[in-house]
């Protein structure tokens, strides 16, 4: 295979700053030839270089260059490609970068990010002084493994092959057709990686009496396949994103809440509704909040639930205020809706400190700690039977609204009609109407 | 109260307001990793970005999130990422990169109780100093702190404008309480500052140098990756060409540029709300969530006949030294409520005059400072003295 000779379109200078005999220059030459073979306009090519000796490459090239943090080159490349789909994005990283940035490489392979990664793999850290890297062979000598490397080498090519990459190869830097394999990688629509084995003449070569003739022998000994490991096609993340854009609805507009009702409040009210996860506490209080806004009140709803959101308590604190709300803490509520034992457990400790002017509405089976607060009872089993389990919280909220008369019940019904999903709407309305006809509170 | 029938009332949380502003600012790229209390920004971006022709990615970790945003910004897009304290820690190195390479970028930090994982759903505003000093080298960036829905929206727009104008990362420090509490708001009263876009290079392409700052300009003119001219970007110390350099003159010029381009007296940088009462000797200086209780307390105190001034800071970094010096000079007792261990107090003390006595009101157990606590601090005789070294 003849190498195109027009590499100076892409390469600024061939006075590479690397040690004599270092493999990096061979790879950059192959990259220049690959770009020439593909005849890509330099303005459409972006090189992303990682840290290490390879990071000096950007100054040698005549294409766009992005030199970022150690190990993150694949993440930058992904961002460039997603944001500017016309770019051919090529990562130049060392084996050190594949160790610290392994997660990004895996993710890019799984996403089939349309970028190409060239690994300048010389089995140790050059720039910092010959320390072992993720790809150092077992038993190899480095400055941090003076008695031989106890770790197994990271088979980067096999790993990305197993994780969705489109084109993967492993090549010695000395192979004459390296440029052709690099060109194939760049031309692949999807994630491509070439694990290029090369010599670090400053450290790995002298420490291990290593030569270029030993690449294939080492590969065999480590059970690593050379040449092309995979070459297949599937959709890229960029194509998926493009499709999302093409099929997206127009940007959602907010639906305002017109003031259509009158409230009766002169001062702020605080309501705490305490129930269990899955009990629709948040949504019932949210409906009340919207109804309050439609009645001209300022509103604030704070929800409290454990990180495991399907278990334990669900507590919503609602402030209703005829004035704008600044500070939104509720030291002492005006009304407390206790729906379940989990809710009681969450806020029960405060009950003892609440005075008589706090009105508690508690489920009939709950055993309350001693309190001066006034207590009314309701039976949630009845509500569940008559209105459905998912409407208990709403029924209690509506009942408290009726009792407290902050604003008309009609405001709540209007919100249900306007804002609830059609499949829940009828039942919810029926629940509110039912509690309006007959109080849920025990006499 | 509201007698109008105008239907501009909404029910939304602080993160909703931030995402709405981001879209209104023209943000078309978001990348981030789920973390309470910032997750709803990621979800909103995934939902909304395609509708504006934008891209939203859930990344493999926070480092990839900010990395992708940095790269996307260099293609000319306005970009945003969002996280909380633990993720901000992982952003640290890339924030330094964004400063060094002059990347416009919005970072939302929805603070929660720290240190470390701390309290995922517990209030905290303890990232104040970390936001400024969390990357190596110590070069400045801009940090804004909203206190309510309105400022969440408006400061997000300002954040994009400042990021574009000064080619810098801008941190927006919100917190769990503001991010996740749903509130009523009259969104028609939100102000929309005119949008600023980064200065594009307009000269002849052969002359383009990615980091050359022309005379009289604040930042280098921009060309995106993919432009006809070669664009270079580097995390290393560089000259105008964007290539690592050992040249001491070039190094010094770059670093002086970074040190000087962000300062409190630059246009648009110092944002605050000063509500000063003539002949008041007491001043409450607040920011973030504590500003709500502070303004509340100041109103109540005035209702009782006390002369109390209030300064709410929206820009935390660079410290708005102009207004702070002015008001410290005009008042004696300075009350400083903070949801942390006094992280901004030290900045105020640094600027203080001999007559200033500082009274700290602090909470960092997740509970909110109440107006009553501030009122008590104001009326304490003599006021609790905290570190008023000059006195
Ligand atoms: S230290 Fe090793 S990798 Fe670096 S330039 Fe020298 S030979 Fe190449």
């Amino acid at each position: 295979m003849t190498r195109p000779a027009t590499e100076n379109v892409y390469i600024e200078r061939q006075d590479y700053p690397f040690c004599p005999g270092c493999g990096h220059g061979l790879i950059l030459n192959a990259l220049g030839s690959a770009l020439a073979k593909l005849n890509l306009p330099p303005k459409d090519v972006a090189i992303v270089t990682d840290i290490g000796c390879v990071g000096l490459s950007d100054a040698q090239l005549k294409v766009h260059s992005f030199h970022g943090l150690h190990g993150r080159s694949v993440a930058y490349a992904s961002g460039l490609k997603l944001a500017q789909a016309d770019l051919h994005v090529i990562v130049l990283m060392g084996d050190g970068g594949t160790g610290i940035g392994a997660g990004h490489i895996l993710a890019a392979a799984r996403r089939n990010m349309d970028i190409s990664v060239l690994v300048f793999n010389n089995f140790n850290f050059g720039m910092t002084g010959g320390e072992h890297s993720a790809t150092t062979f077992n038993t190899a000598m480095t400055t941090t493994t003076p008695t031989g490397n106890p770790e197994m080498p990271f088979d980067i090519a096999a790993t990305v092959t197993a994780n969705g990459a489109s084109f993967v190869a492993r090549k010695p830097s000395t192979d004459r057709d390296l440029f052709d394999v690099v060109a194939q990688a760049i031309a692949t629509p999807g994630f491509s990686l070439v694990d290029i084995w090369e010599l670090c003449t400053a450290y790995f070569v002298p420490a291990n009496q290593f030569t270029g003739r030993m690449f294939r022998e080492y590969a065999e000994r480590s059970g690593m396949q050379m040449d092309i490991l995979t070459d297949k096609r599937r959709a890229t993340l960029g194509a998926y994103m493009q499709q999302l854009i093409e099929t997206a609805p127009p940007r959602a507009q907010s639906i305002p809440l017109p003031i259509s009702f009158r409230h009766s409040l002169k001062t702020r009210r605080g309501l705490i509704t305490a129930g269990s996860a899955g009990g629709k506490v948040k949504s019932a209080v949210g409906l009340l909040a919207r109804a309050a806004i439609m009645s001209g009140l300022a509103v604030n709803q704070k929800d409290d639930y454990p990180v495991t959101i399907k278990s334990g308590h669900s507590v919503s604190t609602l402030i209703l205020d005829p004035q704008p709300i600044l500070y939104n803490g509720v030291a002492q509520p005006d009304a407390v809706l206790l729906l379940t034992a989990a809710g009681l457990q969450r806020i029960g400790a405060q009950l003892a400190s609440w005075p008589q002017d706090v009105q508690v509405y508690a489920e009939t089976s709950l055993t309350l700690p001693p309190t001066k607060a006034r207590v009314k009872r309701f039976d949630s089993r009845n509500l569940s039977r008559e209105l459905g389990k998912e409407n208990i919280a709403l029924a209690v909220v509506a009942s408290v609204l009726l009792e407290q008369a902050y604003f008309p019940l009609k405001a709540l019904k209007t919100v249900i009609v306007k804002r609830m999903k059609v499949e829940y709407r009828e039942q919810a309305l029926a629940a509110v109407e039912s509690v309006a006809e007959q109080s849920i509170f025990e006499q | 109260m509201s007698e109008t029938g105008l239907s501009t009332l909404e029910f939304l949380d602080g993160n909703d307001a931030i995402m709405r502003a981001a879209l209104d600012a023209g943000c078309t790229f978001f990348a981030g990793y789920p973390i309470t209390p910032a997750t709803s920004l990621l979800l909103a971006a995934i939902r909304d970005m395609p509708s504006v022709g934008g891209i939203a990615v859930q990344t493999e970790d926070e480092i990839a999130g900010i990395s992708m945003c940095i790269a996307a910004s260099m293609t000319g897009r306005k970009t945003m990422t969002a996280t909380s304290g633990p993720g901000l820690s992982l952003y640290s190195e890339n924030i330094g990169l964004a400063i060094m390479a002059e990347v416009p970028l919005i970072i939302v930090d929805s603070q929660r109780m720290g240190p470390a994982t701390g309290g995922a759903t517990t209030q905290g505003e303890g990232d104040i100093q970390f936001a400024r000093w969390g990357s190596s080298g110590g070069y400045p960036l801009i940090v804004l702190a909203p206190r309510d829905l309105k400022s969440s929206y408006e400061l997000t727009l300002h954040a994009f404008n400042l990021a574009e104008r000064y080619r810098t990362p801008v941190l927006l420090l919100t917190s769990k309480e503001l991010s996740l509490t749903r509130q009523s708001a009259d969104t028609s009263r939100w102000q929309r500052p005119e949008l600023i876009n980064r200065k594009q290079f307009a000269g002849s392409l052969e002359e383009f140098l990615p980091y050359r700052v022309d005379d009289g300009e604040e930042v280098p003119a921009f060309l995106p990756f993919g432009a006809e001219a070669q664009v270079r970007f580097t995390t290393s110390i560089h000259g105008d060409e964007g290539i690592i350099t050992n040249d001491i003159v070039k190094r010094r010029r770059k670093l002086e540029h970074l040190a000087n381009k962000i300062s409190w007296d630059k246009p648009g940088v110092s944002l605050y709300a000063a509500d000063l009462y003539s002949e008041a000797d007491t001043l409450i200086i607040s920011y973030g969530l504590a500003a709500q209780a502070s303004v509340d307390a100041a109103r109540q105190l005035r209702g009782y006949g006390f002369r109390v001034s209030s300064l709410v800071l929206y820009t935390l970094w660079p410290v708005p030294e102009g207004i702070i010096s002015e008001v410290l000079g005009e008042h004696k007792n300075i009350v400083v409520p903070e949801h942390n261990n006094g992280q901004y107090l030290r900045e105020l003390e640094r600027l203080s005059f001999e007559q200033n006595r500082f009274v700290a009101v602090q909470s960092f157990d997740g509970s909110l400072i109440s107006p009553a606590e501030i009122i008590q601090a104001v009326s304490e005789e003599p006021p609790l003295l905290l570190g008023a070294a000059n006195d």
Side-chain angles (χ1 to χ4, degrees), chain A residues 12 43 46 51 56 58-59 61-70 72 75-76 78-80 82-84 87 103-104 107 111 237 241 244-245 248-251 254-259 263 268 282 286 289-290 293 296-303 305 307 322-329, chain B residues 1-2 4-5 7-11 20 23-24 29 50-61 63-64 67-68 70-72 74-75 77 93-94 97 120-121 147 177 180-184 224-236 243 292-293 295-296 299 368-371:
Chain A
E12 184 94 51
K43 77 165 201 70
I51 294 288
L56 300 172
D58 52 335
L61 299 166
K62 271 205 259 190
V63 296
H64 302 300
S65 64
F66 188 115
H67 179 53
L69 303 179
H70 188 34
R72 314 305 164 199
Y76 303 123
S78 301
L80 280 179
L82 286 171
Q84 176 48 276
L87 286 172
H104 306 308
R111 292 176 184 135
L237 186 72
M241 293 284 179
L244 286 182
I245 290 171
R251 183 179 162 192
S254 53
I255 310 165
L257 296 155
I259 298 177
H263 67 81
R268 177 181 289 201
K282 255 173 77 174
R290 289 184 173 87
I293 295 171
L297 289 165
V299 166
N300 206 297
Q301 180 182 351
K302 220 180 275 193
D303 303 313
Y305 43 86
V307 278
Q323 301 297 325
I325 298 166
L326 286 163
Y327 170 68
N328 67 4
Chain B
M1 176 210 58
S2 302
T4 83
S7 50
T8 50
L9 292 167
E10 296 184 50
F11 186 49
R20 184 177 299 182
L23 297 175
D24 288 351
F29 195 96
S51 294
V52 297
I55 304 273
V57 197
Q58 180 185 331
T59 50
E60 57 274 23
D61 57 23
I63 295 174
S67 296
M68 283 197 197
I70 287 170
M74 297 319 285
T75 71
R77 289 179 187 253
E93 192 183 12
N94 264 310
L97 165 66
T121 56
R147 67 182 177 104
E177 284 287 336
L180 302 184
T181 302
R182 285 189 288 174
Q183 307 179 48
S184 53
F225 272 75
E228 293 290 337
Q230 184 186 26
V231 176
R232 291 190 184 281
F233 173 101
T234 181
T235 176
S236 297
I243 294 174
Q292 295 298 84
V295 172
D296 208 325
R299 268 188 208 167
L368 296 185
I369 295 169
S370 68

Side-chain angles (χ1 to χ4, degrees), chain B residues 43-341:
Chain B
L43 299 182
I46 296 278
R47 183 194 62 210
D48 292 339
M49 275 300 167
S51 294
V52 297
I55 304 273
V57 197
Q58 180 185 331
T59 50
E60 57 274 23
D61 57 23
E62 282 91 346
I63 295 174
I66 186 172
S67 296
M68 283 197 197
C69 285
I70 287 170
S73 178
M74 297 319 285
T75 71
R77 289 179 187 253
K78 293 185 182 179
T79 69
M80 181 165 92
T81 183
T83 189
S84 188
L88 189 66
S89 309
L90 295 176
Y91 283 4
S92 162
E93 192 183 12
N94 264 310
I95 291 173
L97 165 66
I99 292 171
M100 172 63 98
E102 305 193 54
V103 183
L105 167 68
I106 308 304
I107 299 164
V108 180
D109 173 17
S110 181
Q111 301 165 92
R112 63 193 217 187
M113 177 189 276
T117 304
T121 56
T122 311
Q123 173 64 9
E125 291 184 297
D127 300 349
I128 309 301
Q129 290 287 342
F130 180 46
R132 169 60 184 85
W133 300 105
S135 78
S136 61
Y139 287 86
L141 75 175
I142 296 173
V143 181
L144 308 180
R147 67 182 177 104
D148 57 8
L149 292 182
K150 185 172 187 287
S151 53
S152 294
Y153 178 85
E154 293 172 2
L155 291 183
T156 303
L157 287 174
H158 282 291
F160 275 99
N161 278 352
L162 290 165
E164 291 287 311
R165 175 163 189 172
Y166 295 105
R167 285 191 58 170
T168 181
V170 178
L171 259 98
L172 197 64
L173 287 186
T174 181
S175 64
K176 178 258 163 188
E177 284 287 336
L178 189 46
S179 280
L180 302 184
T181 302
R182 285 189 288 174
Q183 307 179 48
S184 53
D186 182 352
T187 54
S188 69
R189 299 178 62 179
W190 294 356
Q191 307 277 317
R192 292 156 178 82
E194 201 173 320
L195 295 183
I196 296 173
N197 295 312
R198 70 192 76 165
K199 188 179 161 25
Q200 300 284 321
F201 178 77
S204 78
L205 291 174
E206 305 80 64
E207 282 168 21
F208 175 69
L209 288 174
Y211 288 101
R212 187 178 66 205
V213 183
D214 288 332
D215 287 345
E217 294 296 333
E218 288 156 336
V219 294
F222 179 85
L223 277 183
F225 272 75
E228 293 290 337
Q230 184 186 26
V231 176
R232 291 190 184 281
F233 173 101
T234 181
T235 176
S236 297
I237 182 70
H238 53 267
D240 294 351
E241 313 78 19
I243 294 174
I244 187 168
T245 181
N246 285 318
D247 182 329
I248 189 74
V249 176
K250 288 182 176 180
R251 287 182 162 202
R252 196 178 291 143
R253 191 165 67 221
K254 173 75 191 188
L255 295 175
E256 279 173 1
H257 165 65
L258 290 183
N260 295 334
K261 78 169 179 177
I262 310 279
S263 103
W264 63 267
D265 52 355
K266 292 284 173 79
V269 171
S270 285
L271 301 170
Y272 54 84
D275 182 8
L276 306 176
Y277 206 106
S278 63
E279 288 167 49
D281 70 350
T282 298
L283 164 71
I284 308 171
I285 299 184
S286 61
Y287 60 88
L289 213 64
Q292 295 298 84
S294 300
V295 172
D296 208 325
R299 268 188 208 167
Q300 290 186 42
L301 284 162
R302 287 175 193 182
Y304 303 144
F306 292 102
R307 289 167 191 249
V308 178
S309 295
S310 160
L311 174 68
V312 175
L313 299 175
Y314 292 126
T315 301
L316 297 184
W317 304 100
V319 175
E321 297 187 7
I323 183 69
I324 290 174
S325 296
E326 192 184 317
V327 298
L328 288 181
E330 287 166 357
H331 296 82
K332 180 165 160 266
N333 298 321
I334 314 297
V335 181
V336 189
E338 296 186 83
H339 288 117
N340 57 51
N341 46 0

Side-chain angles (χ1 to χ4, degrees), chain A residues 18-19 22 24 53 122 126-127 199-203:
Chain A
F18 312 118
C19 304
C22 172
H24 288 10
C53 299
N122 56 20
M127 190 170 259
L199 300 178
C200 172
T201 49
Y203 297 105

